[in-house]
Amino acid sequence: MTDISLDCKGLPCPQPVLRCKEAVEKDGPAQLVVIVDNEAAKENVSRFLTMQGYAVRTEQSGPDFIVTGLRENGAECEECAVMTEAEPQNVDKGKILVFVPADIIGSGDDTLGGNLMYNFMVTLKELGDELWRIILVNGGVKLAVPGNRCLEELQKLEASGVSILVCGTCLEFFGLTDKRAVGDVTNMLDVVTSFQLATKTIRV
């Protein structure tokens, strides 16, 4: 195994994660150091490396973030091991993905649209064990911050085992990065992969 450093400053989402993915798949470095220049990229890279079996630490250097992933010899990707063991047991279980690109439903009146979105979130639990993941992008990330009444419903769903992914680029755009109160920061690679893994997708 080798040690690799990647300078990903200035790269738009999901390029920092894609460069990490390429390095891990091609070289399998024992240590991977990634330099990024925004909070969303730091969270996305850290999450990706953790999923690949790396112990991750982050530090700030001026305006930049240094993310270091360290993998001991023989360490196995924890997520891969879990998926391998669980897949046969869940082969018949549906995986419903709910894609939420706004904080309201429909157009015509925003107050009505907000009420409809709240009712939708309250009712999602009726999908039962097949509800697998909720992805919030664009204005949808506003549902994941304090002050939005949908937040409590999302927290209940997450506590029940539903995966919730919140677009890091979108949080940064709206100035909400530090206010996220549910879910994991995500990137477009996670979004595309989620569409591929889901057995059914619901777009709100």
Side-chain angles (χ1 to χ4, degrees):
M1 291 186 178
T2 58
D3 294 345
I4 294 178
S5 295
L6 300 175
D7 185 350
C8 296
K9 298 191 300 292
L11 295 181
C13 171
Q15 291 301 317
V17 173
L18 290 176
R19 288 197 60 189
C20 291
K21 182 175 183 290
E22 180 182 9
V24 170
E25 292 179 348
K26 181 180 178 182
D27 302 306
Q31 178 173 280
L32 181 58
V33 179
V34 187
I35 304 174
V36 295
D37 57 4
N38 63 83
E39 186 79 24
K42 181 197 77 170
E43 293 292 335
N44 284 327
V45 168
S46 298
R47 181 168 174 268
F48 173 78
L49 291 177
T50 299
M51 286 167 41
Q52 298 302 310
Y54 286 86
V56 177
R57 72 173 187 272
T58 62
E59 56 184 302
Q60 189 163 3
S61 177
D64 302 326
F65 297 95
I66 302 173
V67 183
T68 302
L70 184 64
R71 177 189 287 170
E72 297 181 1
N73 291 334
E76 183 181 9
C77 169
E78 183 177 327
E79 183 183 63
C80 296
V82 171
M83 288 178 63
T84 300
E85 295 172 3
E87 193 65 29
Q89 301 172 17
N90 296 325
V91 66
D92 295 325
K93 180 180 176 181
K95 298 173 71 172
I96 298 177
L97 168 65
V98 179
F99 185 70
V100 185
D103 58 339
I104 61 173
I105 292 180
S107 59
D109 184 271
D110 287 353
T111 299
L112 174 61
N115 290 337
L116 292 173
M117 179 62 77
Y118 175 74
N119 292 337
F120 178 79
M121 289 297 170
V122 169
T123 312
L124 267 181
K125 61 180 180 292
E126 300 304 321
L127 292 175
D129 292 341
E130 288 190 309
L131 179 58
W132 167 56
R133 175 167 290 171
I134 300 171
I135 296 179
L136 308 177
V137 302
N138 207 323
V141 302
K142 296 177 183 179
L143 305 178
V145 301
N148 192 297
R149 57 180 176 162
C150 289
L151 174 60
E152 183 177 356
E153 299 306 317
L154 287 169
Q155 290 173 329
K156 290 177 183 177
L157 290 168
E158 184 176 49
S160 72
V162 177
S163 167
I164 298 177
L165 301 182
V166 187
C167 171
T169 299
C170 307
L171 286 168
E172 186 176 9
F173 179 84
F174 290 113
L176 299 174
T177 301
D178 296 332
K179 297 181 180 180
R180 174 181 56 88
V182 70
D184 296 313
V185 174
T186 194
N187 59 81
M188 201 53 67
L189 177 61
D190 285 340
V191 173
V192 171
T193 302
S194 295
F195 281 129
Q196 183 181 36
L197 294 175
T199 56
K200 180 186 295 184
T201 298
I202 297 173
R203 185 187 187 280
V204 182

